[in-house]
């Protein structure tokens, strides 16, 4: 595992974006796994800048890690400003780069047939040849995507309940600003499973800020346990790169 520590959030974001951009240059038709949350926003801004300077997304395919269950948008139609991860990734990255609509895959939070949809999502990942590079954030409870503590390392794409901590963190990061009442927040999500994520060829995890320091240390240097989903990175077969800012790295020994 490569652990890179940068001075600031901006430098962490630049470093992660450089890794992704170099990957796209080396394999223009690559399959990227995308993450949502506040951490990757800077990375996506850097990628948009690089796109304006020529980085080409025309052959790239993307698969998002997760989506709230019960909300979502149809990207082919005009949409309302909801708090879906589909809207997030579209606003923060996809609408700014030359990716083809048919190459964008996002779990459908509005599906009426979740089991069937989750299987379809897994099938689409396989059909695309698997995820080449998966970008990941980490939750304060150690989750990757919405694989909350206790998720099996072999779990697949499925509907999951969210922990109170995750609901609280997401409320503070996004919902409060959008004036949405806490009781109206979704408590379920569709998420790629740990098994799905661990089948990617390469993983890139980013984390920033003091509030992530403890869980980063547990994930990277503590015991490998399903109680901290991100500890699975320690036993991942392929290449893992972790990019942290100084604060997120402050509890590493
Ligand atoms: P954050 O979320 O980037 O908003 O901190 C990360 C995560 O929960 O995976």
């Amino acid at each position: 595992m490569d652990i890179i520590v940068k001075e600031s959030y901006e430098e962490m974001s630049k470093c992660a974006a450089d890794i992704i951009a170099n990957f796209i240059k080396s394999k223009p038709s690559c399959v990227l796994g995308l993450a949502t949350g506040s951490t990757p926003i800077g990375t996506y801004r850097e990628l948009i800048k690089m796109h304006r300077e020529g980085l080409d997304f025309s052959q790239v395919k993307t698969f998002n890690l997760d989506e709230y269950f019960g909300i979502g948008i149809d990207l082919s139609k005009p949409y309302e400003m909801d708090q879906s991860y589909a809207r997030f990734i579209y606003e923060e990255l996809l609408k700014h780069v030359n990716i083809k609509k048919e190459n964008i895959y996002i779990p459908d939070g509005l599906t009426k047939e979740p089991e069937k949809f989750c299987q379809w999502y897994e099938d689409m990942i396989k059909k695309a040849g698997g995820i080449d590079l998966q970008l990941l954030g980490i939750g304060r409870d150690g989750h990757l995507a919405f694989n909350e503590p206790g998720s099996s390392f072999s779990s697949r794409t499925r509907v999951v309940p969210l922990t109170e901590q995750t609901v609280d963190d997401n409320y503070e990061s996004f919902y409060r600003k959008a004036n949405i009442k806490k009781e109206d927040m979704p408590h379920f999500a569709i998420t790629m499973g740990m098994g799905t994520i661990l089948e990617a060829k390469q993983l890139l995890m980013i984390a920033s800020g003091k509030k992530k320091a403890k869980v980063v240390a547990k994930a990277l240097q503590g015991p490998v346990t399903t109680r901290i989903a991100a500890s699975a990175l320690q036993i991942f077969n392929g290449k893992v790169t972790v990019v942290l800012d100084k604060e997120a790295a402050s509890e590493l020994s």
Side-chain angles (χ1 to χ4, degrees), residues 37-40 137-139 143 173 212:
S38 39
T39 314
I138 178 172
H143 69 213
S173 297
K212 295 288 173 69

Side-chain angles (χ1 to χ4, degrees), residues 183-253:
E183 53 268 34
D184 293 336
M185 281 196 62
H187 286 253
F188 288 85
I190 296 181
T191 183
M192 272 190 210
M194 287 302 296
T196 324
I197 292 169
L198 297 172
E199 276 170 15
K201 289 161 200 132
Q202 196 170 320
L203 302 178
L204 170 59
M205 191 178 90
I206 53 176
S208 141
K210 194 92 202 133
K211 66 177 195 287
K212 295 288 173 69
K214 276 207 165 63
V215 77
V216 163
K218 278 190 199 163
L220 303 186
Q221 296 178 329
V224 175
T225 165
T226 57
R227 289 167 66 182
I228 304 284
S231 66
L233 263 54
Q234 297 181 45
I235 52 164
F236 180 66
N237 277 329
K239 183 176 161 69
V240 184
T241 310
V242 180
V243 189
L244 307 168
D245 68 5
K246 235 165 86 180
E247 289 190 333
S250 60
E251 301 263 343
L252 288 174
S253 56

Side-chain angles (χ1 to χ4, degrees), residues 9 35-41 65-66 85 88 136-146 148 166 169-170 173-174 206-208 211-212:
Y9 174 77
T36 44
S38 39
T39 314
I41 290 175
L65 281 172
D66 46 14
Y85 280 175
F88 173 98
L136 297 163
I138 178 172
R140 282 202 297 156
D141 60 6
H143 69 213
L144 294 181
F146 276 132
E148 300 284 31
T166 296
D169 287 350
N170 290 356
S173 297
F174 297 103
I206 53 176
S208 141
K211 66 177 195 287
K212 295 288 173 69

Side-chain angles (χ1 to χ4, degrees), residues 133-186:
L133 175 63
Q134 175 67 58
L135 178 64
L136 297 163
I138 178 172
R140 282 202 297 156
D141 60 6
H143 69 213
L144 294 181
F146 276 132
N147 291 287
E148 300 284 31
S151 298
S152 156
F153 287 167
S154 58
S155 54
R156 312 303 306 189
T157 302
R158 69 207 186 285
V159 176
V160 290
L162 305 178
T163 61
E164 276 315 305
Q165 176 155 77
T166 296
V167 172
D168 286 351
D169 287 350
N170 290 356
Y171 177 71
E172 291 306 326
S173 297
F174 297 103
Y175 282 75
R176 188 197 283 283
K177 287 178 217 146
N179 277 326
I180 293 171
K181 287 195 223 121
K182 197 154 174 206
E183 53 268 34
D184 293 336
M185 281 196 62

